[in-house]
């Protein structure tokens, strides 16, 4: 009769009560030595626990979602006697391979080989030049199973750079392949990322209680776009102040009339009108750089986006052909688009095609800030909260309502002189 052997969780470092996110086998399955049995996941890494023996799973003692520690019973395996001798000789290696957040010793010492397939598909110099080198500290923290780690190492891929499509963002073998393909075909930015200094990685839980919350879908989309804009565009921010005392008087006079038609007339509608006039005066602000950076694409339409703060995160609805709309119509669209934005009901189309963006924090507070350009646009106007200030009027100080404005622009397209001409015009 075949001998039954208990398979237990090996030494997994300091971790206890680690969640099983995947059970890779079922009772009756035949397994070979090193075949993955379960996948464990900590907040730092995920790891497969391989079978130290070859045989048939007689009984599985765990299920997905269970929590285990070192020594927890995983399964009873009817050992394949022929393979048993060989397996018994290597249990320590199996256990060590699975130590979390640690590079397997044999992998650490050997330099990462370059991918055979990659070198065949492209000149070696290009591969070496585009695949960023593996960073051992962050590689160890990548969210991937040991087999995927091994695969990535064989290809020379720094796993931490690969976007995972598995459960909880786990990197799968196909993700690694897609990453290499994207780099080789020039669709992914290898060198730009490679040149950036690494951010420090801190184990926050070491210093107190923490709670990890996944980012919202909107934030996951907007974050990389903001980063791309920040990294690709040389931003300059020009600050200025507009005296809106007269404007505010006019707004108060029109407010009732607007309310009667269900429109809330805020200072933002006036600011947008002013921006449209400024864009007509300075068309470069309504343009985009061509993809090769060699020309400027002037748009004959003026679609103005505005940043809206929603429970899901930042979105930018666009008022189409804003230059063909009057103050009240702009105010009405502002209200409608922002309430639909807060309800998460905007279509993708309603957030595309903008030529210039206004980001107003005036309803909340603050003065000046440095808004990030909504690429491929070339400028964005930040609006702070208007406040009364004493302003010298020739014979004495008078209280005037002052609106802080911050214009960020792409310095590849707009010079400082043009930037300040634009804000002066707005003011
Ligand atoms: N100065 C003083 N008061 C202002 C003001 C300003 N610049 N702008 C608005 N206000 C007042 C409004 O008049 C209104 O007051 P009343 O209710 O008394 O009339 C109040 O502040 C609230 O205005 P609002 O925020 O409802 O309306 P809005 O048209 O100014 O803004 C919207 C609409 C969608 C832009 C805004 O709700 C919003 O989401 N702002 C945040 C945008 C943001 O997050 N930008 C940063 C992007 S980068 O992370």
């Amino acid at each position: 009769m075949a001998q039954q052997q208990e398979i237990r969780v090996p030494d997994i470092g300091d971790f206890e009560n680690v969640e099983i996110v995947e059970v890779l086998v079922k009772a009756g399955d035949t397994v070979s030595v090193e075949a993955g049995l379960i996948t464990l996941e900590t907040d730092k890494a995920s790891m497969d626990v391989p079978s130290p023996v070859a045989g048939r799973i007689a009984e599985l003692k765990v299920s997905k979602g269970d929590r285990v520690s070192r020594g927890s019973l995983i399964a009873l395996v009817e050992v394949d006697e022929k393979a048993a001798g060989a397996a018994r000789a290597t249990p320590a290696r199996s256990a060590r391979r699975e130590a979390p957040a640690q590079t397997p010793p044999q992998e650490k010492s050997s330099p990462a080989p370059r991918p055979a397939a990659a070198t065949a598909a492209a000149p070696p110099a290009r591969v070496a030049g585009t695949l960023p080198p593996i960073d051992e500290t962050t590689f160890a923290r990548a969210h991937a199973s040991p087999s995927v780690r091994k695969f990535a190492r064989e290809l020379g891929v720094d796993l931490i750079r690969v976007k995972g499509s598995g459960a909880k963002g786990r990197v799968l073998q196909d993700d690694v392949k897609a990453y290499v393909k994207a780099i080789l075909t020039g669709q992914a930015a290898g060198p730009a990322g490679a040149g950036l200094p690494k951010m420090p990685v801190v184990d926050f839980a070491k210093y107190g209680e923490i709670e990890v919350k996944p980012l919202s879908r909107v934030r996951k989309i907007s974050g990389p776009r903001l980063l791309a804009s920040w990294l690709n565009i040389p931003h300059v921010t020009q600050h200025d102040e507009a005296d809106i005392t007269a404007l505010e008087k006019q707004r108060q006079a029109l407010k009732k009339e607007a309310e009667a038609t269900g429109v809330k007339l805020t200072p933002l509608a006036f600011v947008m009108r002013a921006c449209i006039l400024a864009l007509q005066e300075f068309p470069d602000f309504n343009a985009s750089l061509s993809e090769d950076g060699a020309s400027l694409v002037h748009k004959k339409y003026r679609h103005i986006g505005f940043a809206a703060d929603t429970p899901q995160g930042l979105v930018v609805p666009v008022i189409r052909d804003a230059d063909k709309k009057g103050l009240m119509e702009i105010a009405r669209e502002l209200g409608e688009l922002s309430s639909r934005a807060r309800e998460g009901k905007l279509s993708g189309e309603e957030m595309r095609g903008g030529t210039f963006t206004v980001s107003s924090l005036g309803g909340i507070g603050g003065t000046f800030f440095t808004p990030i350009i909504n690429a491929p646009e070339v400028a964005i106007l930040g609006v702070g909260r208007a406040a009364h200030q004493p302003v010298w009027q020739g014979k004495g100080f008078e209280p005037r309502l002052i609106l802080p404005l911050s214009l960020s622009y792409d310095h590849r397209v707009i010079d400082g002189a043009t930037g300040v001409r634009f804000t002066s015009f707005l003011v």
Side-chain angles (χ1 to χ4, degrees), residues 251 255 264-269 306-310 314 334 338 342 359-364 369 383-386 403:
R251 185 176 80 92
K255 221 173 146 186
K264 187 176 174 191
L265 189 59
T266 64
L268 183 55
F306 63 97
D309 180 35
T310 77
L314 170 71
L334 259 175
S338 41
R342 278 190 278 269
S359 175
S360 173
L361 293 171
I364 306 164
F369 62 108
V383 183
R385 188 165 186 80
L403 181 71

Side-chain angles (χ1 to χ4, degrees), residues 251 254-255 257-259 261-273 276 306 319 322 325-339 342:
R251 185 176 80 92
L254 292 171
K255 221 173 146 186
E257 182 192 321
E259 265 164 27
T261 60
V263 173
K264 187 176 174 191
L265 189 59
T266 64
L268 183 55
F270 290 84
V271 171
M272 285 197 137
R273 274 295 301 157
I276 292 159
F306 63 97
I319 299 185
K325 292 173 180 164
L327 181 74
M328 289 297 180
E329 206 174 345
I330 287 178
R332 187 180 53 74
E333 272 200 44
L334 259 175
E336 282 173 9
L337 285 170
S338 41
S339 53
R342 278 190 278 269

Side-chain angles (χ1 to χ4, degrees), residues 278-316:
L279 292 174
Q280 284 167 340
E281 187 74 15
F282 301 94
D284 281 1
F285 286 78
N286 197 59
S288 287
L289 267 179
S290 60
E291 210 179 328
D292 61 2
S295 42
L296 201 55
V297 181
H298 278 103
K299 293 155 231 172
K300 304 289 180 190
Y301 48 87
R302 292 173 192 88
H303 302 332
I304 314 294
F306 63 97
D309 180 35
T310 77
Q312 298 82 34
L314 170 71
V315 294
V316 183

Side-chain angles (χ1 to χ4, degrees), residues 390-426:
V391 176
W392 183 253
Q393 296 291 82
K395 287 188 181 146
F397 285 99
E398 270 181 32
R400 307 290 296 178
L401 190 60
I402 303 298
L403 181 71
L405 299 173
S406 305
L407 176 83
S408 292
Y409 57 85
D410 184 339
H411 206 349
R412 295 171 302 173
V413 177
I414 293 152
D415 293 332
T418 318
V420 80
R421 278 189 198 111
F422 186 92
T423 53
S424 301
F425 182 92
L426 268 182

